Structures are given as structure tokens and as C-alpha cells.
Amino acid sequence: MRLTRYTDLALRAVMRLAVADSEELLTTRQIAESMNVPYTHMAKAVAQLQHLGVIEARRGRNGGLTLTDAGRSTQVGDLVRTLEGDREAVVCEGDTPCPLAGACRLRRALRQAQEAFYSSLNGVTVADLVTSPTGPVLLALGAPPG
């Protein structure tokens, strides 16, 4: 299964926030720069994560983003399902509907595989994603050389 770029960016953002010091507030721009992605793309992902309650934004001069406790314990499969929109792996309808739609077993098999994919990711939380060796690498991203 291939994730959308949007989901990839959102997962990178939560991972970066998961390793941030409890006193460290990062901005969307800082996260985008450390991940080497466009700010506008990261801003859209961050906005959705805020809406989901995974991250919290504080405004103002000393503002920034933090991962919520709920975000830290979020199961990755549930988060990916939500970000991906739980859409079908194949589209059988549309402008040119598949002639096999009424008798095809592929769609169901792919749906079962998709469910197994999400279920396997539910054995992992956001906090689990940033254990060593990932955490130290995330902390080094965007840090000044030295």
C-alpha cells in the first residue's frame, strides 16, 4: 500500500514533535525546513493534525506546536486511516466503470489486505515510532552543524 504525500508529511510532523523537549515549541516552518518540504504542504498537514487533537498550537511570540498526550498514544493505523480517508484501493465505478464490478473478487481481497495493513500499524503508537535509532536522527534534522 502506498501512502499519500499528505499522510507522509503528517507522520513526519508528529514524529518530530514526539522527540521535542517538553519545553521546546516548534513552528510549522521549522518542521517543514527540517524535513526539507514546502511550508504550505506541511501547514495543511499540521492543520489537520490540530483538528484531530493530535497536536496543539499555541499562538503568539512564544508560540509553537506540541504533541498532545492523546497524539503521543495514538495508534498509527488509526491515524493513517483517518489521514488517508479510508478510501478503496481500487475504484470500480466512475466515468468508465469496470465490467467485472458485479462478479469481481479483487475489490474485496484488496479491502481485506487494506484492513490488515491498518491493523498491523495499530500495534504501533506515535511514541513507538521515535524510539532509538529514529529519535536521535529526528533531533539532528535541521540542527546547526557543530
Side-chain angles (χ1 to χ4, degrees):
M1 180 158 176
R2 185 179 185 123
L3 300 179
T4 61
R5 178 88 166 134
Y6 178 78
T7 299
D8 176 41
L9 293 178
L11 290 172
R12 289 196 229 177
V14 296
M15 289 171 65
R16 179 56 185 95
L17 290 169
V19 296
D21 182 279
S22 61
E23 301 299 314
E24 178 185 23
L25 296 177
L26 297 171
T27 65
T28 302
R29 188 166 306 284
Q30 288 171 317
I31 296 171
E33 288 173 0
S34 72
M35 298 295 170
N36 198 28
V37 298
Y39 167 79
T40 54
H41 291 73
M42 185 59 76
K44 289 176 186 172
V46 164
Q48 178 67 14
L49 292 167
Q50 278 182 264
H51 177 74
L52 295 172
V54 174
I55 63 174
E56 182 182 308
R58 297 181 192 154
R59 295 194 175 269
R61 183 179 183 142
N62 296 319
L65 305 170
T66 58
L67 188 64
T68 64
D69 290 338
R72 190 170 303 282
S73 62
T74 295
Q75 294 178 321
V76 175
D78 290 341
L79 184 57
V80 169
R81 180 190 305 267
T82 300
L83 293 168
E84 288 289 309
D86 199 26
R87 64 181 180 277
E88 295 280 339
V90 294
V91 178
C92 301
E93 299 83 21
D95 294 340
T96 55
C98 177
L100 299 174
C104 184
R105 301 176 91 185
L106 178 62
R107 185 179 193 175
R108 182 172 183 206
L110 288 172
R111 184 50 144 168
Q112 288 173 338
Q114 191 175 26
E115 288 302 319
F117 174 75
Y118 292 135
S119 291
S120 69
L121 286 175
N122 271 342
V124 180
T125 65
V126 168
D128 295 333
L129 292 177
V130 297
T131 58
S132 191
T134 307
V137 173
L138 283 163
L139 287 170
L141 292 176

